[in-house]
Amino acid sequence: GPDVARQRLDAFLDEAVYDYEDRRDYPADENTSRLSTDLKWGTIGVREVYEQTAAAKAAVAGEDADSVEEFQAQLAWREFYTQALWANPEVGTENFKEYEEGLSWRDGETADEHLRAWKDGETGYPIVDAGMRQLREEAYMHNRVRMIVASFLTKDLLIDWREGYAWFREKLADHDTANDNGGWQWAASTGTDAQPYFRIFNPMTQGERYDPDAEYIHEYVPELRDVSADAVHSWHELSVGRRRQLTTEYPDPIVDHSEMREEALEMFQRARGEYEEEAAD
């Protein structure tokens, strides 16, 4: 209810907001407000949150003020996606950005198996699996990890963003049609402010950068708790034999990121009508 939401906001504004810009992308730090569910269900309003953050910003200067402003920018993105959906209601089910030849997302038995592995947190990519298991356990996922798992589904597995959006809608306590749709279409390079199609997250690099000690991964992937952070972050490079020495319970990667990156680039180039021209050059 509102009292608890305000307590959560007060706790965030006491300290964490001033580290938000530097630490918000590190899931083990829990340096976010956790107000998304309250904003979704209306137990607190965005105007009240903004007013309180404005007061927190006015009380400080320099980097602390910049950090508060970064949090306010995230509130603005929520409002932006709400406006985008209001003005373009079709984006709930259709790509906002059209491609000349259309996108050829994968389907069939292999795609179904990969989608199931993604939902179950069994892809063999630790940061992806940690996020998907957090979603199952808590009906929540850290925002940086949401971007990682969305990129993995659309760019490494080449599965339609609508499949991922539907799963988030089913599982997230803070599901918001506009915000989730905007995020998924950003990751899939089909949205209003789409991630450029050629910028594809490397899930291993993302894990190493934002969970360097594998704290988040160890929490949600118990099969890897006795595996060092170095081995966790190089899981895709280890031989099958070495993986089995470390643990017999965690799966091998279901795809090769480097190979799938090239396939994703080719898919988008074909959709843009550019692939044959570049091949001829």
Side-chain angles (χ1 to χ4, degrees), residues 110-213:
T110 299
D112 290 344
E113 291 174 359
H114 285 174
L115 178 60
R116 190 177 310 112
W118 179 81
K119 289 180 176 180
D120 292 343
E122 296 285 348
T123 68
Y125 283 88
I127 190 71
V128 174
D129 294 337
M132 298 308 295
R133 296 185 193 193
Q134 182 184 26
L135 176 63
R136 278 183 173 273
E137 293 174 22
E138 301 176 10
Y140 173 84
M141 190 191 302
H142 185 277
N143 186 61
R144 165 57 58 172
V145 188
R146 295 188 196 203
M147 292 190 285
I148 295 170
V149 304
S151 178
F152 187 82
L153 184 73
T154 57
K155 304 293 178 63
D156 283 77
L157 302 183
L158 301 185
I159 292 175
D160 195 323
W161 63 266
R162 281 162 279 234
E163 294 284 0
Y165 169 76
W167 188 245
F168 272 31
R169 181 180 61 203
E170 179 178 335
K171 295 296 181 183
L172 282 172
D174 64 8
H175 166 71
D176 176 270
T177 298
N179 205 47
D180 276 352
N181 180 275
W184 271 100
Q185 294 222 44
W186 177 87
S189 302
T190 61
T192 54
D193 62 316
Q195 168 91 317
Y197 78 89
F198 48 82
R199 288 182 59 194
I200 298 173
F201 281 15
N202 181 321
M204 303 307 295
T205 301
Q206 290 283 312
E208 187 172 13
R209 180 179 302 160
Y210 295 112
D211 191 27
D213 297 323

Side-chain angles (χ1 to χ4, degrees), residues 20-64:
Y20 183 79
E21 185 172 25
D22 291 333
R23 304 305 302 175
R24 69 186 180 93
D25 282 321
Y26 296 83
D29 285 9
E30 288 287 352
N31 210 87
T32 60
S33 71
R34 294 297 291 259
L35 287 169
S36 56
T37 305
D38 297 298
L39 289 167
K40 150 64 183 177
W41 294 104
T43 50
I44 199 166
V46 68
R47 292 175 178 82
E48 180 176 350
V49 175
Y50 186 85
E51 181 180 3
Q52 294 298 320
T53 59
K57 180 182 175 183
V60 295
E63 293 182 358
D64 285 350

